[in-house]
Amino acid sequence: MMSRAERTPLTDWWWTVDRGLLAGLGALMVAGLVFLMGGGPPVAEKIGLPTFHFLNRQALYLAPTLLIIVGVSFLSLRHIRRVALATWLMGVVLCVLAGKFGPEIKGAHRWIQFGPFGLQPSEFIKPAFVVVAAWAFSEGAQRRDMPGGLLAILLLPITIVPLVLQPDFGQTMLITIVWCALFFVAGLHWFWVAGLGIAGLLGVGVAYRFLYHVRERIDRFMNTESGDNFQGFWAHESFNSGGWLGVGPGEGLAKRHLPDAHTDFLFSVIGEEFGVLVCLGLVSLFAYLVMRGLKLARRTDDTFSRLAITGLVTLFGLQACINMAVNVQLMPAKGMTLPFVSYGGSSMLSLALGMGFLVALTRKRPRTTTLSQKPPGTAPATVAGVMR
């Protein structure tokens, strides 16, 4: 049991960190391992790997994931901005290299190979971009000599152009929506919100017109007879088969037909084997983490922290919503994982970075409040330290 009287970095961290966020993230990771026991084996056996290959790999990824979350959560606000900026720059460069020299997987160049290890740079760009954009917006709001708004606007095309060229329309859409949310929270007028919405719809129209894979997915979603809708059909069947209580762990049949049952369509496997009630519980857990983050963002007086926290929880919640919406046939397939539940090394580590930023930003820190300046001849203003 840690005592408040002990002043060590670990005890200071424990008494200032939001333990509700940590508990929710830990519950998601444990749930991911349990659910992957059902979705991973059929895919592993189909491609000639050991039965629990994906489960064992996911368990191995949890160690660096926890280290990243805890390690990053010790950072100060200044160091958070520096780490995010360095990660964003490196991610953009690696995305460009992946688009030119990366291996082609399912028609896209999204990966960089480091010997036997593969890395998807776009995953790491997302949390870093949110923090850097929040930094730019906050600087523009606080300093008139700083063109923070212009920098924040320029960040978006610099980030998404390499993604479009890969192509990775799903990540592009996700980053753009989160950027618009930050723009709105930073004080954007409703007129510009409507303008961004119209621009987004035009962007989807242009992508549909000139990008074959986007047009194919949308046509397949709108009209199941226009092409192969194999994944969508079995995702729908999994929920029909599972009902409210499910058919039981390991007893599902749809996962044997879904090629991405361990990643993009793991939520469908959960629906068949554990039932709709467990799916609703999982949705509630994601909602708790998002609402907890927004509540903590509202409490802080620091503009940068408020924007960054809002952006990170929006990114986290929106990615979860997109994955689940695809599984229940509310959206076309996007190739997006369910945070901390689906299998994926790059996804896990990038989520750990983002949640490490979130835990660090929501820690209780001393703040200095400068009292109003007094008239000449009176005692100088004092600075009082308080805890938020």
Side-chain angles (χ1 to χ4, degrees):
M1 193 71 179
M2 296 186 184
S3 171
R4 291 181 181 270
E6 297 180 17
R7 296 306 303 271
T8 65
L10 183 59
T11 55
D12 287 345
W13 175 84
W14 177 252
W15 291 110
T16 57
V17 77
D18 187 84
R19 293 186 289 277
L21 280 178
L22 290 180
L25 293 173
L28 270 184
M29 295 177 198
V30 173
L33 290 179
V34 174
F35 297 143
L36 197 58
M37 291 180 67
V43 181
E45 293 171 358
K46 191 181 300 182
I47 58 179
L49 295 173
T51 301
F52 293 105
H53 170 80
F54 295 114
L55 177 64
N56 294 333
R57 291 287 296 271
Q58 189 83 336
L60 287 176
Y61 288 136
L62 280 183
T65 295
L66 293 173
L67 287 175
I68 291 173
I69 291 176
V70 175
V72 173
S73 67
F74 276 89
L75 297 178
S76 65
L77 296 182
R78 177 179 298 177
H79 288 101
I80 289 172
R81 292 190 285 261
R82 291 178 178 177
V83 171
L85 180 60
T87 304
W88 177 76
L89 289 172
M90 189 179 304
V92 171
V93 172
L94 289 178
C95 275
V96 174
L97 294 177
K100 289 184 174 296
F101 307 108
E104 182 177 342
I105 301 176
K106 296 182 179 180
H109 301 266
R110 303 173 184 173
W111 294 82
I112 288 286
Q113 290 294 135
F114 297 97
F117 301 102
L119 181 72
Q120 190 173 356
S122 61
E123 291 286 351
F124 294 89
I125 280 183
K126 293 185 294 186
F129 168 81
V130 169
V131 175
V132 174
W135 184 13
F137 279 125
S138 64
E139 288 295 309
Q142 295 173 355
R143 297 172 51 185
R144 295 185 177 181
D145 60 330
M146 176 71 175
L150 178 61
L151 290 176
I153 292 173
L154 293 176
L155 281 173
L156 183 64
I158 295 174
T159 303
I160 65 175
V161 166
L163 299 180
V164 172
L165 296 177
Q166 287 182 349
D168 193 341
F169 186 72
Q171 302 286 17
T172 301
M173 181 184 70
L174 180 61
I175 288 175
T176 304
I177 294 175
V178 174
W179 179 85
C180 291
L182 281 175
F183 213 154
F184 175 70
V185 174
L188 182 66
H189 193 275
W190 280 105
F191 174 80
W192 295 109
V193 173
L196 286 174
I198 294 173
L201 292 175
L202 290 175
V204 173
V206 171
Y208 179 84
R209 176 67 177 83
F210 294 102
L211 298 177
Y212 171 75
H213 72 285
V214 175
R215 182 168 62 254
E216 182 186 26
R217 286 188 177 184
I218 294 178
D219 287 343
R220 188 185 306 166
F221 174 75
M222 299 300 295
N223 181 12
T224 56
E225 297 180 357
S226 64
D228 180 20
N229 195 35
F230 185 77
Q231 288 186 326
F233 170 78
W234 282 107
H236 184 265
E237 284 298 308
S238 66
F239 288 100
N240 286 338
S241 174
W244 287 100
L245 300 178
V247 299
E251 300 298 325
L253 297 177
K255 64 186 180 183
R256 303 188 182 279
H257 302 276
L258 288 167
D260 297 316
H262 62 315
T263 54
D264 303 349
F265 287 90
L266 183 57
F267 191 67
S268 297
V269 177
I270 299 170
E272 182 177 21
E273 298 192 350
F274 295 89
V276 174
L277 290 179
V278 173
C279 289
L280 292 176
L282 189 59
V283 171
S284 299
L285 183 54
F286 280 109
Y288 164 76
L289 288 168
V290 172
M291 297 305 295
R292 182 77 178 177
L294 293 176
K295 181 179 179 181
L296 293 170
R298 189 181 63 177
R299 288 180 178 178
T300 182
D301 295 327
D302 179 64
T303 305
F304 163 69
S305 296
R306 184 169 61 253
L307 289 173
I309 293 169
T310 302
L312 288 169
V313 295
T314 301
L315 175 68
F316 179 79
L318 189 59
Q319 180 171 334
C321 286
I322 290 174
N323 177 277
M324 291 184 285
V326 168
N327 277 261
V328 297
Q329 297 297 287
L330 293 178
M331 291 182 66
K334 289 289 181 295
M336 206 167 292
T337 60
L338 190 60
F340 291 119
V341 178
S342 299
Y343 170 80
S346 293
S347 175
M348 285 281 286
L349 297 180
S350 67
L351 285 165
L353 179 64
M355 292 302 99
F357 286 149
L358 179 62
V359 174
L361 289 163
T362 55
R363 284 179 61 188
K364 298 176 183 177
R365 285 188 172 86
R367 69 180 181 182
T368 57
T369 305
T370 305
L371 303 180
S372 57
Q373 187 175 358
K374 296 184 178 181
T378 60
T382 59
V383 177
V386 297
M387 294 293 290
R388 64 173 176 84

